[in-house]
Amino acid sequence: MNRVINDPDRVTEDSLTGVLAAHPDLLVATDHPRVLRSAVRSGEPRVGLVTGGGSGHEPAFLGYVGPGLCDAVAIGEVFASPTAKSFHAAFREADQGRGVACLYGNYAGDNMNVKMAVKLAAKDGIRVETVVANDDCASAPRDQPEHRRGVAGEILMWKAGGARAAEGADLDAVIDAARKTIDNTRSIGIGLSACTIPANGKPNFTIEPGTMEVGIGHHGEHGIAVLPTAPAKEMAGIMLEKILGDLDYTGENVAVLVSGLGATPLMELYVLYGHIDEMLRARNITPSYRLVGNYFTSLEMMGVSLTLTRLDAELDRLLRAPARSIGLSVAG
Amino acid sequence: MNRVINDPDRVTEDSLTGVLAAHPDLLVATDHPRVLRSAVRSGEPRVGLVTGGGSGHEPAFLGYVGPGLCDAVAIGEVFASPTAKSFHAAFREADQGRGVACLYGNYAGDNMNVKMAVKLAAKDGIRVETVVANDDCASAPRDQPEHRRGVAGEILMWKAGGARAAEGADLDAVIDAARKTIDNTRSIGIGLSACTIPANGKPNFTIEPGTMEVGIGHHGEHGIAVLPTAPAKEMAGIMLEKILGDLDYTGENVAVLVSGLGATPLMELYVLYGHIDEMLRARNITPSYRLVGNYFTSLEMMGVSLTLTRLDAELDRLLRAPARSIGLSVAG
């Protein structure tokens, strides 16, 4: 495996050492080795925002900690949930006396560990409310939202929730903004190659050359179809058809996030975006907030994900509010 | 070739369509289909900044156009120089009556085409001065700087030159700042996999699994050694040894840029950065300005580049000045 690592079992901690050295203005260490918190804290106590998830999705999750975004993050090993203790420690770091919003993705390990951590925090007198992102519309049928995974739509959820917290809103209002964001968000991915967890040393799934897996998950979870690799324009059509069939975006202003899964050249993400933009406008949907880049990755997987969020005036305001982090900065 | 493209011969134009659709606040089309200019122009006439180069290095080059950075960019096909006509058109777009600084990398095609374009601009009455980046210290011996290629150090050159232009400096002062930046900059890359130009359909060079090519160029140009793939810490040592042996950084504040070449996971770039940071401090060199990410890539090549710039008070001020672009934004 030709990669930039030392001991494959220590990639996460080696990476965190570098993150802390590179960004002391954004992130600081805590007493818990798998919890980082924002280096910037406003004078006024605010609702604390926490997220967490496995490593290997960078800049998610730690890359979305900073002013206007999350206050603390719990970090798991590569593609593995953070522990309950990590989430609990992150809640304590984020807490400023007004409660904590834990905004994370729908995976079995995360659900279990967050649930335990919420109970532990309650004993500390910290009220934690959660929103569980389930934006991946390819991961389960529409009538089973509880089985759908959270993917890149989480970024927009953190952005809206973080902005609402920065406005001084109370915990219920922050939770409402985060839930509204994810309820109005759908995502889908297409995988073009597998990826290798360093500690495993070889891919734990396969995508045959010349094929693409539509609806693939962020850890290589099976999608809804394996098709011959199509031109970018057809990929755009396939992804949009699934998303627009799941939620009605007609006549809406939308946020569009095209994220690479790791190895796809940025110029190709723009090729895809060009088609998405054109197809949306042809359907009377206006892409008014646009992100194209490697925002939520899966190690060195080749492929893309598409996320669409319906925007009302509030969500539009929250997405455009100032923020600063490794993964997403919005000028004030 | 499993990629997100349509016609392999039209990747560049398809990508530009998407860039313009995604970033109308940053980039606008011009009369020349391979020239974009900044959507933001200050009221006061300033020295115009131009760069240019082949596609496939995104966010370079077009990702460094915007306030505080370049004013216009000439865009070539994948890994190919822009034409003389493109550079000429970019000069005309950037010109605001105070002359144009063309800051680009040392490649035969770019040199030839810029030279022709400068002559064409002179006929228009536009004075163009150039700085040719040659920061890749692995690409030729120290006594042959004219044979060294420009790589990721160009980003710091654009940043310093752009900030100086934004301060209202005249052309000579902008050129001085850009030249000082690149004269104080050294870079080196390590390649871990080849990459495939879509129009070719297969890699035009090879890196055997289990080996790494030290000093590889941004288009797969041969490096100085092919070695068994080393742990990240050894990679950091090899890269630093070459750079620090080429220029004396002892006791200096430095800018450090660790860029992925395309497919290397962000978490691994941070693994490398952690070692670089520690090794620099052990040698009494202070990493005071730090960038870690996919800033200058080579399609889906796996690998990294390291860039170090000695900073005096002026360069430090210029790097921290406000800027906004796809590739690099600095809050005001």
Side-chain angles (χ1 to χ4, degrees):
Chain A
M1 187 183 43
N2 245 12
R3 300 271 283 275
V4 187
I5 59 172
N6 299 299
D7 179 344
D9 288 323
R10 290 177 52 98
V11 178
T12 300
E13 57 206 282
D14 285 353
S15 175
L16 292 180
T17 301
V19 166
L20 287 166
H23 303 290
D25 53 321
L26 279 175
L27 291 163
V28 293
T30 70
D31 292 339
H32 192 296
R34 288 291 185 281
V35 175
L36 303 184
R37 76 167 172 80
S38 175
V40 183
R41 181 157 286 185
S42 83
E44 290 293 304
R46 290 172 175 173
V47 171
L49 239 72
V50 166
T51 191
S55 297
H57 302 295
E58 287 71 19
F61 296 81
L62 57 80
Y64 298 99
V65 173
L69 282 155
C70 299
D71 294 283
V73 60
I75 297 155
E77 296 300 312
V78 176
F79 288 5
S81 174
T83 63
K85 277 192 179 174
S86 300
F87 275 113
H88 179 215
F91 296 160
R92 293 173 66 115
E93 291 292 339
D95 177 49
Q96 298 152 62
R98 298 191 62 195
V100 171
C102 180
L103 313 178
Y104 70 103
N106 190 25
Y107 297 90
D110 296 293
N111 284 327
M112 183 179 70
N113 291 327
V114 166
K115 198 170 179 180
M116 288 171 60
V118 170
K119 285 184 189 168
L120 293 171
K123 292 185 188 165
D124 304 327
I126 301 172
R127 180 183 161 211
V128 181
E129 297 291 337
T130 62
V131 179
V132 189
N134 60 349
D135 50 305
D136 185 348
C137 64
S139 53
R142 188 155 62 163
D143 59 357
Q144 297 176 28
E146 71 280 11
H147 292 132
R148 286 182 167 184
R149 297 182 293 261
V151 285
E154 295 180 47
I155 296 165
L156 300 164
M157 171 178 74
W158 301 323
K159 181 70 188 72
R164 197 75 185 92
E167 289 178 346
D170 66 15
L171 180 54
D172 290 337
V174 170
I175 290 290
D176 284 349
R179 184 167 289 132
K180 182 162 79 173
T181 306
I182 213 68
D183 285 348
N184 282 282
T185 297
R186 296 293 184 274
S187 300
I188 186 170
I190 288 183
L192 295 172
S193 81
C195 60
T196 296
I197 299 172
N200 293 350
K202 56 176 200 250
N204 52 357
F205 64 103
T206 305
I207 297 177
E208 296 295 337
T211 70
M212 61 182 192
E213 183 146 355
V214 178
I216 197 165
H218 272 183
H219 312 99
E221 295 94 337
H222 275 304
I224 49 179
V226 176
L227 303 175
T229 302
K233 187 172 182 175
E234 284 180 38
M235 291 184 194
I238 290 168
M239 295 171 102
L240 268 188
E241 187 180 7
K242 181 72 185 166
I243 287 179
L244 301 182
D246 205 82
L247 187 68
D248 186 8
Y249 290 79
T250 312
E252 305 275 356
N253 287 325
V254 297
V256 186
L257 164 58
V258 170
S259 179
L261 297 183
T264 298
L266 183 55
M267 74 183 300
E268 298 179 20
L269 303 182
Y270 281 110
V271 171
L272 188 81
Y273 182 78
H275 296 301
I276 297 288
D277 191 280
E278 185 183 13
M279 290 173 181
L280 287 175
R281 291 179 194 278
R283 291 166 188 247
N284 188 28
I285 301 168
T286 305
S288 68
Y289 184 91
R290 300 163 298 269
L291 298 172
V292 181
N294 286 300
Y295 286 93
F296 203 127
T297 66
S298 300
L299 294 170
E300 84 291 15
M301 200 190 296
M302 197 165 274
V304 290
S305 71
L306 171 66
T307 298
L308 287 191
T309 302
R310 291 194 300 211
L311 300 179
D312 62 8
E314 182 195 28
L315 292 187
D316 187 77
R317 179 187 84 240
L318 297 174
L319 293 185
R320 294 179 200 280
R324 196 161 56 84
S325 67
I326 294 171
L328 177 64
S329 291
V330 179
Chain B
M1 188 184 42
N2 244 13
R3 299 272 283 275
V4 187
I5 59 173
N6 300 298
D7 180 344
D9 289 323
R10 289 176 53 99
V11 177
T12 300
E13 57 206 283
D14 284 353
S15 175
L16 292 179
T17 300
V19 166
L20 286 165
H23 303 290
D25 52 323
L26 278 175
L27 292 162
V28 293
T30 69
D31 291 340
H32 192 295
R34 288 291 184 280
V35 175
L36 304 184
R37 75 168 172 80
S38 175
V40 183
R41 180 158 286 185
S42 84
E44 289 293 302
R46 289 172 177 173
V47 171
L49 240 70
V50 166
T51 191
S55 296
H57 302 294
E58 286 71 18
F61 295 82
L62 55 80
Y64 298 99
V65 173
L69 282 156
C70 299
D71 295 283
V73 60
I75 296 154
E77 296 300 313
V78 176
F79 289 5
S81 174
T83 63
K85 276 191 181 175
S86 300
F87 275 113
H88 179 215
F91 296 160
R92 294 173 65 116
E93 291 292 338
D95 177 50
Q96 297 153 61
R98 298 190 63 194
V100 171
C102 180
L103 312 179
Y104 70 102
N106 190 25
Y107 296 89
D110 296 292
N111 284 328
M112 183 179 71
N113 291 328
V114 167
K115 198 170 178 180
M116 287 172 59
V118 170
K119 285 184 190 168
L120 293 170
K123 291 186 188 164
D124 304 328
I126 302 173
R127 180 183 160 211
V128 181
E129 297 292 336
T130 63
V131 179
V132 189
N134 60 350
D135 50 307
D136 185 349
C137 64
S139 54
R142 189 156 60 162
D143 60 356
Q144 296 176 27
E146 73 278 11
H147 292 131
R148 287 183 165 183
R149 297 182 293 260
V151 286
E154 295 179 45
I155 295 164
L156 301 165
M157 171 178 74
W158 300 324
K159 181 70 186 72
R164 198 74 186 91
E167 289 178 345
D170 66 16
L171 181 54
D172 291 336
V174 171
I175 289 291
D176 285 349
R179 184 166 290 133
K180 182 162 79 173
T181 307
I182 213 68
D183 285 348
N184 282 282
T185 297
R186 297 291 184 275
S187 300
I188 186 171
I190 289 184
L192 295 172
S193 81
C195 61
T196 296
I197 299 172
N200 293 351
K202 57 175 198 253
N204 51 358
F205 64 103
T206 305
I207 297 177
E208 296 296 336
T211 69
M212 62 182 191
E213 183 147 356
V214 178
I216 197 166
H218 272 183
H219 313 98
E221 296 94 337
H222 275 304
I224 49 179
V226 176
L227 302 175
T229 302
K233 187 172 182 175
E234 285 180 36
M235 290 185 194
I238 290 168
M239 296 172 101
L240 268 187
E241 187 180 5
K242 182 71 184 166
I243 287 179
L244 302 182
D246 205 83
L247 187 68
D248 186 9
Y249 291 79
T250 313
E252 305 275 357
N253 287 324
V254 297
V256 186
L257 164 58
V258 169
S259 179
L261 297 184
T264 298
L266 183 55
M267 72 182 303
E268 299 181 18
L269 303 183
Y270 281 110
V271 171
L272 188 81
Y273 181 79
H275 296 301
I276 297 287
D277 191 279
E278 186 183 12
M279 290 172 181
L280 287 175
R281 291 179 195 277
R283 292 167 187 246
N284 189 28
I285 301 168
T286 306
S288 68
Y289 184 91
R290 300 163 298 269
L291 297 172
V292 181
N294 287 300
Y295 286 94
F296 202 127
T297 65
S298 299
L299 294 168
E300 84 291 16
M301 200 189 297
M302 197 164 274
V304 289
S305 71
L306 170 66
T307 298
L308 287 192
T309 302
R310 290 194 301 211
L311 300 179
D312 62 8
E314 183 195 26
L315 291 187
D316 187 77
R317 179 187 84 240
L318 296 175
L319 292 185
R320 294 180 200 279
R324 196 161 55 85
S325 67
I326 294 171
L328 177 64
S329 291
V330 180

